[in-house]
C-alpha cells in the first residue's frame, strides 16, 4: 500500500503531528469576527477536542484557543495532511467500493489549491463555502470512505462525519446536510456563532456537496446569461464586440466572468479588490489584462470600444469607483451586473468603497459594526451609480448574489414603484428561468475519474453527437438552447476550461442528460472511456433549489418562499439511485435565504448504473418542471405536457388558468 493510501486509511493519526508551516502565498480566508462569550469559547474548545485523545488535550487546547482568537474559527491547521491535495485518478484511492473512491476524488478536487478559494480553511468558493469545518473532519471522512462497504452509508452533519450506518447497495453511499438550522436560528450572526462553535457550516451549493469543478461551471451559466442579455438588448444586426459588460468579483465563482465575457465576445471589465485573486485569474488565463489605475482603465476601455475589441480586463480596485468614473467619462455600459459574495456581506463577501482590502479585513475582525456601516454606505453609493447608467439605457441584472437584497436592506434606491419588487430583474427572472429552467435545461456536469484528458475528449464528442441527434427533431421552443450548448461543447477544449479535475458542464434537459449519461455508461463498459465517470450538477438548476431571489425568482404563484421542491428533490434522488445526496441551507444568495440540494452519481459501465441514471435523472429534472408548471409558467406547462406524452407513466397535475377579467370584476 502506498504512503498516500496508508495516510488516508489511518484517519486521525495515532501520534500527535507537529505544527504545520503555512505557505504565505496561499490565499487565506478573512478573519471572522469575535462573537463568542468566554463560556461559548470553552464550549467551542470542548467541541474541537472531542476528535482527539485526552492526552493531547493540554497542548491542543492552548493551540485551538489561539486559532479561535486569531481567526474566529478553529481550523486545526496542525492536522492538514502533508500529501499534495488534488483529484487523483480513481484507482489511486484506497476503497472497498468505486463509489467511495469517486467521492474521495471529488472531495480532494474541492480542496485543490488550484480550485479552492481558501484551501487552508477548507473553503472552496464564495468566501465561506466550506467542504469541512476543520481538518479532523476531513481526515475522519476520508478514513470512513476508504473503509466503507456497499452495505453502509456515511452520514455527514455539516462537515462532521457522524459515522457509517448499515444500509444497502441501493442506498446512497453518503448523505450530506449543511447548515440545516431551525428557521428562527438562521440569521447571519447565527452562522457566525454556530460555525465558531463547530456545530454547523455553510456548504454553499457545490462546495459542501463535493461537486465543485472549478470556475468552469459558472463560466457556462454566465456565458449563457451574457449571450442572451445581449440578444435581449442589441438591435437587429448588432453584435456584442466592442460592447461593455461591467461587473465585479474575481474570487471563487465570480472568477469565471471574464472568461464568459470572452466567449460571449464582448468587452468585460471586472473589478476585484483582492489583488491576489485578480492575479490568480490572470495567471490561470481567465482574464486577458490587469489594470490597477483608474485613469489607465478609462483609456484602455475607450480604446477597446474604438477598435470593437473582444477583451477581458481585471481592474484591481473597487467597482463603485468604476461605475462612477465611467459615468463621468460618458462611457456607455451595455450590460451591468455584480458577482461579489453579498450573501456574506459582513465577513469579506463585499468590500466597501474608500477602504483598502487590508483595511477592510482588519475592520472585519476588530470593528465589525463600523464595517457593516461602511458596507451599507457603499451599497447605497453603488446603487446610485448604477441608477444613473440605467437611466441612459444600461441593462442591469442581479446575478443572484443578493446584491439587490442587501442594497435594499441598506436603504439603497433599488425598489420598484410598487415598493415590493426590485427595480431590476434577477437574471433568472429575465433569462435563465423562462429560457432554460422552465424547459428543464440546467447545469449537467461530469468528471472523468481517470484524470485522462483523452477521456474528457471522448465525453465531449459523445455529448455533441447526442445533442445534435436530439436537436434534429426538437421543437422550435428549445432549438436555441440546444444550439448554444452544442457550440459550447464544440469550443470547450480550445477555451481551456479545465481547472482541477477533468470535468465538463453543459445545459441539458432530462432527455439530453439521460441519453448522454447512458452513452457514457456504454462507452465505459466497452473501454472507450477508461474509468468511471461521476455525474452531478450545480444546485443552481431546475429542481434542486428553492431560492426566491434567484432560482425560483420567476415563480409568481406565491410559493417562491417555500422549500418543498428542494426537499422532495433530495429525498427523491436518494431512493432512485444517487451515489450521494446533499441538502443545504445557504447557497449563493445567503444563509437563511435558500434551501438547495444536489447529488452525485458514479457510472461504472454496469447495467445497475444504467438503471439508476435513467430513474434518477428523470425525476431530478421533472420534479422541478412540475412545480414550475403548477405555478402557471407557460414554458414549464409546455415542457411537462411534452414529457407526459413521451413518458406515459408520468402523471402531473396541470393548472387551470382563470381569465383575468373574472377576478377583476370581483373587486
Amino acid at each position: 500500500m502506498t504512503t498516500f493510501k496508508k495516510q488516508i486509511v489511518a484517519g486521525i493519526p495515532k501520534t500527535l503531528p507537529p505544527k504545520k508551516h503555512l505557505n504565505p502565498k496561499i490565499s487565506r480566508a478573512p478573519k471572522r469576527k469575535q462573537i463568542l462569550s468566554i463560556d461559548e469559547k470553552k464550549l467551542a474548545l470542548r467541541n474541537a477536542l472531542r476528535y482527539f485523545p485526552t492526552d493531547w488535550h493540554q497542548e491542543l487546547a492552548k493551540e485551538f484557543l489561539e486559532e479561535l482568537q486569531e481567526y474566529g474559527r478553529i481550523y486545526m491547521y496542525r492536522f492538514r495532511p502533508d500529501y499534495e491535495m488534488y483529484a487523483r485518478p480513481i484507482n489511486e484511492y484506497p476503497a472497498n467500493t468505486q463509489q467511495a473512491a469517486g467521492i474521495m476524488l471529488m472531495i480532494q478536487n474541492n480542496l485543490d489549491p488550484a480550485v479552492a478559494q481558501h484551501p487552508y480553511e477548507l473553503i472552496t468558493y464564495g468566501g465561506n463555502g466550506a467542504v469541512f469545518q476543520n481538518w479532523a473532519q476531513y481526515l475522519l471522512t476520508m478514513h470512513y470512505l476508504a473503509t466503507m462497504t456497499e452495505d453502509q452509508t456515511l452520514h455527514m452533519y455539516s462537515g462532521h462525519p457522524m459515522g457509517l450506518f448499515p444500509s444497502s447497495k441501493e442506498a446512497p453511499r453518503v448523505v450530506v446536510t449543511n447548515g440545516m438550522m431551525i428557521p428562527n436560528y438562521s440569521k447571519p450572526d447565527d452562522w457566525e456563532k454556530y460555525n465558531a462553535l463547530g456545530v454547523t457550516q455553510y456548504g454553499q451549493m457545490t462546495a459542501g456537496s463535493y461537486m465543485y469543478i472549478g470556475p468552469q461551471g459558472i463560466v457556462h451559466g454566465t456565458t449563457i446569461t451574457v449571450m442572451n442579455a445581449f440578444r435581449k438588448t442589441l438591435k437587429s444586426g448588432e453584435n456584442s464586440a466592442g460592447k461593455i459588460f461591467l461587473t465585479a468579483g474575481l474570487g471563487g465563482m465570480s472568477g469565471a466572468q471574464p472568461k464568459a465575457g470572452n466567449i460571449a465576445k464582448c468587452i468585460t471589465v471586472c473589478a476585484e479588490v483582492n489583488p491576489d485573486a485578480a492575479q490568480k485569474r490572470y495567471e490561470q488565463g481567465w482574464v486577458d489584462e490587469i489594470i490597477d489605475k483608474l485613469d489607465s482603465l478609462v483609456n484602455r476601455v475607450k480604446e477597446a470600444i474604438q477598435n470593437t475589441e473582444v477583451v477581458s480586463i481585471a481592474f484591481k480596485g473597487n467597482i463603485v469607483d468604476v461605475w462612477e468614473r465611467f459615468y463621468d467619462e460618458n462611457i456607455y455600459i451595455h450590460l451591468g451586473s455584480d458577482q461579489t459574495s453579498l450573501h456574506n456581506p459582513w465577513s469579506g463577501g463585499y468590500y466597501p468603497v474608500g477602504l483598502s482590502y487590508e483595511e477592510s479585513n482588519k475592520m472585519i475582525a476588530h470593528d465589525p459594526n463600523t464595517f457593516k456601516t461602511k458596507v451599507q454606505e457603499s451599497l447605497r453609493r453603488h446603487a446610485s451609480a448604477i441608477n444613473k447608467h440605467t437611466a441612459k439605457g444600461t441593462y442591469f441584472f442581479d446575478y443572484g448574489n443578493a446584491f439587490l437584497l442587501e442594497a435594499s436592506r441598506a436603504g439603497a434606491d433599488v425598489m420598484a414603484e410598487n415598493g415590493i419588487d426590485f427595480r431590476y430583474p434577477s437574471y433568472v427572472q429575465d433569462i435563465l428561468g423562462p429560457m432554460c429552467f422552465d424547459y428543464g435545461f440546467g447545469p449537467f456536469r461530469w468528471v472523468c475519474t481517470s484524470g485522462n484528458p483523452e477521456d474528457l475528449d471522448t465525453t465531449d464528442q459523445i455529448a455533441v453527437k447526442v445533442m445534435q441527434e436530439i436537436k434534429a427533431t426538437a421543437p422550435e421552443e428549445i432549438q436555441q438552447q440546444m444550439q448554444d450548448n452544442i457550440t459550447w461543447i464544440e469550443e470547450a477544449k480550445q477555451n481551456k476550461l479545465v481547472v482541477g479535475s477533468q470535468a465538463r458542464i453543459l445545459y441539458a434537459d432530462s432527455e439530453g442528460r439521460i441519453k448522454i449519461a447512458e452513452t457514457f455508461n456504454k462507452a465505459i463498459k466497452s473501454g472507450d472511456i477508461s474509468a468511471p465517470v461521476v455525474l452531478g450538477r450545480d444546485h443552481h438548476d431546475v429542481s434542486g433549489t428553492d431560492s426566491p431571489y434567484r432560482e425560483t425568482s420567476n415563480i409568481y404563484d406565491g410559493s417562491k418562499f417555500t422549500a418543498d421542491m428542494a426537499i422532495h428533490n433530495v429525498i427523491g434522488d436518494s431512493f432512485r439511485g444517487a451515489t450521494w445526496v446533499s441538502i443545504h441551507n445557504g447557497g449563493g444568495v445567503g444563509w437563511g435565504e435558500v434551501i438547495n440540494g444536489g447529488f452525485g452519481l458514479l457510472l461504472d459501465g454496469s447495467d445497475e448504473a444504467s438503471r439508476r441514471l435513467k430513474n434518477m435523472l428523470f425525476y431530478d429534472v421533472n420534479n422541478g418542471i412540475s412545480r414550475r408548471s403548477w405555478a402557471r409558467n407557460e414554458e414549464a406547462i409546455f415542457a411537462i405536457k411534452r414529457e407526459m406524452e413521451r413518458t406515459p407513466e408520468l402523471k402531473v397535475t396541470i393548472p387551470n388558468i382563470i381569465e383575468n377579467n373574472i377576478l377583476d370584476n370581483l373587486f
Side-chain angles (χ1 to χ4, degrees), residues 24 28 38 56-57 65 69 71 79 111 124 126 146 190 204 214 441 477 484 512 528 539 549 553 563:
R28 302 295 299 279
I38 291 177
W56 296 359
H57 286 184
L65 178 59
Q69 302 279 40
Y71 305 109
F79 293 92
L111 295 173
T124 302
D190 292 322
Q204 257 288 352
F441 284 81
E477 286 85 348
D484 282 346
D528 292 335
H539 299 200
Y549 298 108
S553 60

Side-chain angles (χ1 to χ4, degrees), residues 198-217:
V199 295
T200 195
Q201 74 172 8
Y202 195 97
Q204 257 288 352
M205 298 186 114
T206 52
S209 59
Y210 325 141
M211 192 47 70
Y212 189 62
I213 59 170
Q216 179 183 173

Side-chain angles (χ1 to χ4, degrees), residues 179-223:
M180 299 305 291
M181 303 294 291
I182 302 300
N184 279 350
Y185 299 89
S186 197
K187 296 179 175 60
D189 270 356
D190 292 322
W191 171 72
E192 294 281 1
K193 176 179 177 179
Y194 292 102
N195 188 225
L197 286 173
V199 295
T200 195
Q201 74 172 8
Y202 195 97
Q204 257 288 352
M205 298 186 114
T206 52
S209 59
Y210 325 141
M211 192 47 70
Y212 189 62
I213 59 170
Q216 179 183 173
I218 192 64
V219 170
H220 181 269
T222 305
T223 299

Side-chain angles (χ1 to χ4, degrees), residues 230 242-246 267 301 305 326 331-335:
F230 275 120
K243 311 292 193 304
I244 294 176
F245 168 45
L246 176 60
I267 300 168
V301 168
I305 295 170
F326 278 18
I331 295 175
Y332 184 75
I333 299 167
H334 282 77
L335 304 182

